Amino acid sequence: MKTVCLIGKPNVGKSSIFNRLIKEKKSIILSEPGITRDRVYGIVKYKNKEFSLIDTGGIHGNEDNFNKDILMQATLAIEEADIILFVVDGLTDVSSEDKKIRDMLKKTNKEVIVLVNKIDNDKRVNNIYAYYELGFNKVMGVSAEHNLGFKELLEYLTKDIEELDSREDNILKFCFIGRPNVGKSSLINALLNEERVIVSDVSGTTRDAVDTLFKYDGKEYIVVDTAGMRKKGRIYESVERYSLLRSLKAINESDVCVLVIDGEVGIIEHDKHILSYALESGKGIVIAVNKWDTMKNPNEDIKRWKMELEVYFKFVPFINFVFVSAKTKKRIHTLMPEILKAYENNQKVIKTSLLNDVITDAVNMHEPPSYKGKRLKIYFVSQTGSRPPKFTFNVNNKKLIHFSYERYLENKLREAFDLVGTPIILQFKNKSDN
């Protein structure tokens, strides 16, 4: 996948451009506290094409040197990138900091596009030409605030990217994610040893992820090991922080994510935080509690663990849990069936007639609540996407949908159709907008 990074001094609008490009998935709403995060890495999708996007901190400092930590992060992002978007402020002249960043980028031998932000009217278009002084061939103007110029930018960035539908890679790819030292690598080794047919080991382009091709029941699969994901406050080195970005990239390029929890330590808040990465990416999900060999009373412990998991992860009741031991390989055979189930449900396509029958019955059983004398009416529902499944409801007024009723409709869909192991997206659209 092509990788693009945003570089520039502070307050030029890099984060606003980043948010415009990645288009946050607002339909998957997570109401539980502690699971939101600051995005520094994302996937941009445009016309059935996609690429990775990295945001970086503003490079600044005095005349002699930049902030070293931010510079290290930016350097690593540049190293990973195929194209660099050098973001500048279209309301100001070329500054000494711009020139210092220019000098740094010239040494990389990477393609650089000077992206002049805040060009939001015809009078400011001429401001673009001043930035040819930086010496790069490609200079483009955008306005993050008014969403201008992004079509031209995206057309250029994706012109040599292959469309998703034309790719021939149909092998299920799943990754193991979790905190450091929960046993992700050991669990993968146990899984591979259990199947005993390893086709090959393929080193990834990153330093902390390895793709392994193996066979299970005669079919080929790819499993990815990732670096342990630490709390943001505990990431001391910029290099380690960047390994987080690579883990996020592995999540985005996988079909299913297996969250590994340490059975000895127990569940902590950060496990929920890590799970949110996979949820936001719309992946199939399985939770694996490792180190089951350390349990003294397995029968009693499994009841206690199930209760704790259901309470702690109550915002994702559709995810299945498995209890395994990488050390003794106990219950390791339960893992692959759950991964396959999550994968199948994540790409499931449901007939429109069946969808409408289920929703009609749901509305007849429990009408939407009225609001100021008005009541939500659902005219039609259809599936408009998969990975994860996305359902679009044609309604009279989408502002009348209450969160609790949206959750009710989601539960009815999950009851009627096997959607275990995958998030789903519910989108509401006014009939008058068609």
Side-chain angles (χ1 to χ4, degrees):
M1 187 183 292
K2 176 186 282 188
T3 299
V4 178
C5 75
L6 296 160
I7 299 292
K9 63 187 182 185
N11 302 319
V12 293
K14 293 188 303 301
S15 294
S16 297
I17 291 171
F18 179 82
N19 289 334
R20 281 288 184 191
L21 289 171
I22 66 169
K23 295 181 180 177
E24 289 282 0
K25 298 175 181 176
K26 296 179 181 178
S27 296
I28 299 179
I29 301 171
L30 306 174
S31 60
E32 290 290 308
I35 56 177
T36 58
R37 61 185 174 87
D38 296 325
R39 292 295 293 272
V40 291
Y41 171 86
I43 298 294
V44 179
K45 296 184 178 180
Y46 179 72
K47 289 186 176 180
N48 206 30
K49 298 180 179 182
E50 64 182 27
F51 61 87
S52 304
L53 183 66
I54 302 172
D55 192 14
T56 61
I59 300 175
H60 68 283
N62 55 36
E63 294 182 359
D64 297 323
N65 50 35
F66 291 123
N67 180 294
K68 291 182 179 179
D69 290 337
I70 294 175
L71 184 59
M72 174 64 78
Q73 179 198 2
T75 301
L76 289 165
I78 290 168
E79 178 186 321
E80 185 80 1
D82 300 296
I83 296 179
I84 299 162
L85 297 181
F86 179 10
V87 184
V88 294
D89 189 337
L91 302 184
T92 64
D93 296 328
V94 178
S95 68
S96 58
E97 285 182 323
D98 291 327
K99 292 179 180 178
K100 289 178 70 176
I101 295 172
R102 181 266 318 271
D103 295 340
M104 179 181 72
L105 296 180
K106 285 283 188 181
K107 298 175 184 177
T108 65
N109 294 320
K110 299 283 182 82
E111 182 180 0
V112 176
I113 300 172
V114 178
L115 202 59
V116 187
N117 191 24
K118 306 178 185 179
I119 305 299
D120 50 16
N121 59 54
D122 293 339
K123 293 180 180 179
R124 292 178 181 174
V125 171
N126 290 334
N127 297 8
I128 295 173
Y129 301 110
Y131 279 91
Y132 277 99
E133 175 190 339
L134 294 172
F136 296 104
N137 293 330
K138 193 72 175 175
V139 180
M140 304 180 74
V142 296
S143 171
E145 184 178 355
H146 296 89
N147 196 23
L148 300 174
F150 286 94
K151 181 180 179 182
E152 293 79 4
L153 174 64
L154 287 166
E155 289 286 350
Y156 183 82
L157 292 175
T158 60
K159 67 180 191 296
D160 57 351
I161 296 178
E162 189 178 4
E163 290 194 16
L164 295 174
D165 290 346
S166 63
R167 294 177 183 172
E168 296 180 357
D169 184 9
N170 294 318
I171 298 177
L172 192 166
K173 187 174 186 178
F174 61 95
C175 66
F176 284 75
I177 58 175
R179 294 179 282 114
N181 304 317
V182 293
K184 296 186 299 297
S185 298
S186 299
L187 200 53
I188 289 176
N189 290 336
L191 179 67
L192 297 176
N193 188 55
E194 174 73 10
E195 305 313 325
R196 297 186 182 280
V197 184
I198 301 174
V199 178
S200 64
D201 287 333
V202 182
S203 295
T205 56
T206 60
R207 285 169 285 187
D208 62 347
V210 177
D211 292 7
T212 302
L213 186 66
F214 74 104
K215 283 186 178 179
Y216 173 81
D217 278 356
K219 292 184 179 180
E220 291 185 342
Y221 301 91
I222 295 175
V223 58
V224 185
D225 192 9
T226 64
M229 303 168 78
R230 300 181 188 274
K231 286 185 179 179
K232 190 173 181 181
R234 293 184 179 178
I235 301 176
Y236 299 107
E237 300 295 334
S238 294
V239 173
E240 187 175 349
R241 179 178 179 179
Y242 202 63
S243 73
L244 171 62
L245 303 186
R246 288 173 171 149
S247 295
L248 295 177
K249 189 172 183 178
I251 289 172
N252 276 292
E253 293 180 353
S254 297
D255 300 299
V256 177
C257 299
V258 181
L259 173 65
V260 183
I261 294 175
D262 190 327
E264 275 191 298
V265 175
I267 310 167
I268 67 169
E269 187 70 18
H270 191 47
D271 292 322
K272 186 192 292 185
H273 190 76
I274 294 171
L275 178 64
S276 72
Y277 294 128
L279 276 173
E280 289 180 7
S281 296
K283 305 301 179 181
I285 302 170
V286 177
I287 295 179
V289 181
N290 190 25
K291 305 183 183 180
W292 201 244
D293 55 287
T294 62
M295 302 298 160
K296 296 179 180 179
N297 301 302
N299 292 333
E300 292 298 320
D301 288 331
I302 200 167
K303 294 178 183 178
R304 175 180 58 83
W305 264 96
K306 283 183 176 180
M307 289 180 62
E308 288 185 15
L309 288 164
E310 288 172 1
V311 170
Y312 208 82
F313 294 105
K314 62 182 179 181
F315 64 100
V316 282
F318 52 86
I319 295 178
N320 276 354
F321 314 107
V322 294
F323 303 90
V324 295
S325 168
K327 184 177 180 180
T328 65
K329 301 183 181 63
K330 186 176 182 179
R331 299 176 61 87
I332 199 73
H333 64 279
T334 63
L335 186 54
M336 277 304 295
E338 292 299 334
I339 292 171
L340 293 175
K341 183 188 295 183
Y343 173 69
E344 290 168 2
N345 292 339
N346 187 250
Q347 60 177 357
K348 179 171 286 186
V349 177
I350 302 170
K351 288 184 178 180
T352 303
S353 59
L354 295 178
L355 279 174
N356 283 275
D357 288 344
V358 168
I359 296 302
T360 299
D361 289 343
V363 172
N364 289 335
M365 288 175 59
H366 176 43
E367 279 193 333
S370 61
Y371 177 71
K372 292 184 177 179
K374 296 181 179 180
R375 193 183 301 274
L376 178 76
K377 292 182 180 179
I378 300 173
Y379 300 114
F380 186 76
V381 59
S382 60
Q383 184 172 352
T384 52
S386 61
R387 298 187 181 183
K390 179 180 179 180
F391 305 101
T392 299
F393 291 73
N394 282 266
V395 299
N396 59 332
N397 187 349
K398 60 185 178 182
K399 293 182 180 179
L400 294 175
I401 183 68
H402 190 271
F403 176 77
S404 61
Y405 198 75
E406 181 177 351
R407 180 57 56 89
Y408 166 74
L409 294 174
E410 177 181 339
N411 290 338
K412 287 300 178 183
L413 287 173
R414 291 188 179 279
E415 287 175 12
F417 310 104
D418 185 5
L419 294 168
V420 171
T422 180
I424 64 174
I425 298 173
L426 272 58
Q427 175 179 280
F428 296 86
K429 185 177 179 181
N430 291 340
K431 186 179 180 181
S432 59
D433 294 339
N434 290 340

